[in-house]
Amino acid sequence: MGSLFLSGGGDQDQTKVIDAIFIEKIDKTKPLLYIPIAMDSSQFDDCYQWIIDVFNPFGITVMMWTDLNNKRIDDLTSFSAVYIGGGNTYRLLNAMRASGFDQIIYHYVQDNGILYGGSAGAIIMGTDIKTCDHTDPNHVHLQDCSGLELVNSYAIWCHYKETDEELILRYIQTSSNPVIALPEETGILLEDHQAKVIGTLPAYMFKDGTKSVVQPDSFI
């Protein structure tokens, strides 16, 4: 497996620590591939400007794909990493599944690729995406809500706040999936068969009826 960065979300200042670790990992001589399709197409230009503002100061060029049809895993070899941004999680997974890009990304990560998933882009890497139900409407009427399952058996909960705890426990009751909850400013880095909390705030694990706090720089 390569390196999988999952961010709980936040603005440019909130993800600064996570972004810095990501930047250290990638080959700056290659462009970064940015996929904004969790957002409405009317926002693509603004999204592109945002990610350029984040990464250009570090000498990283960014290319954006808004159409995933007819892509192959070989098309990713010219990029340093793939960044899948936030928005509506159902829209994102539906588009990736319809194009077959979900399987491309799965094998890309398994074959030592570097991937950054922010918010919706993080949620789809878990075992199930219904952790977004409290924020994301399912306008695309997606029926199969299973994610890419790159985080063992865990589902990912982004933008976590303490007031979400009751919703998480209810989700676990109905799904039986353990949850890693990531506040804004917090992420996890999965590599070498380990998951490390990165960022400025702790992550939270909900499993077997217990809630655990995992501080930054600690392993899950």
Side-chain angles (χ1 to χ4, degrees):
M1 185 173 175
S3 300
L4 179 59
F5 289 78
L6 304 180
S7 166
D11 60 27
Q12 183 175 344
D13 288 333
Q14 289 175 305
T15 62
K16 189 178 293 184
V17 173
I18 302 167
D19 295 345
I21 299 169
F22 174 68
I23 289 164
E24 286 296 314
K25 286 279 181 187
I26 66 176
D27 180 356
K28 298 176 187 62
T29 66
K30 293 183 175 182
L32 170 66
L33 174 60
Y34 174 52
I35 298 173
I37 61 171
M39 302 294 284
D40 185 81
S41 59
S42 64
Q43 297 176 282
F44 287 167
D45 288 345
D46 288 341
C47 292
Y48 190 40
Q49 187 58 56
W50 166 79
I51 200 161
I52 286 172
D53 290 344
V54 172
F55 289 107
N56 270 13
F58 299 95
I60 298 168
T61 59
V62 182
M63 289 184 62
M64 180 170 70
W65 283 0
T66 59
D67 183 356
L68 302 181
N69 290 304
N70 302 312
K71 301 299 185 185
R72 301 175 303 163
I73 194 165
D74 291 347
D75 295 328
L76 301 180
T77 58
S78 60
F79 298 103
S80 60
V82 178
Y83 188 117
I84 302 177
N88 184 287
T89 312
Y90 288 106
R91 179 191 290 121
L92 173 61
L93 184 58
N94 185 61
M96 290 184 63
R97 193 172 283 154
S99 62
F101 199 72
D102 58 332
Q103 291 305 305
I104 290 173
I105 282 295
Y106 179 85
H107 291 294
Y108 171 75
V109 174
Q110 294 288 1
D111 194 28
N112 293 319
I114 302 174
L115 188 142
Y116 187 126
S119 190
I123 293 170
I124 65 167
M125 302 301 159
T127 193
D128 174 75
I129 70 165
K130 287 187 178 179
T131 51
C132 74
D133 270 356
H134 61 300
T135 56
D136 294 359
N138 187 2
H139 292 315
V140 296
H141 307 293
L142 188 68
Q143 297 298 312
D144 179 3
C145 296
S146 54
L148 275 66
E149 299 188 15
L150 285 166
V151 198
N152 297 321
S153 61
Y154 285 93
I156 304 298
W157 190 287
C158 289
H159 306 282
Y160 170 74
K161 305 180 294 295
E162 285 189 13
T163 52
D164 292 339
E165 186 167 337
E166 185 177 339
L167 292 172
I168 292 174
L169 295 176
R170 193 181 308 155
Y171 165 80
I172 292 172
Q173 256 189 338
T174 58
S175 70
S176 300
N177 297 319
V179 168
I180 297 174
L182 302 174
E184 295 178 358
E185 301 186 34
T186 303
I188 54 174
L189 169 57
L190 295 98
E191 60 181 2
D192 300 326
H193 306 289
Q194 292 183 310
K196 183 180 182 180
V197 177
I198 55 178
T200 56
L201 296 174
Y204 299 86
M205 293 177 62
F206 293 83
K207 185 178 182 181
D208 299 328
T210 62
K211 174 186 176 182
S212 305
V213 181
V214 187
Q215 297 293 338
D217 298 321
S218 299
F219 290 93
I220 292 176

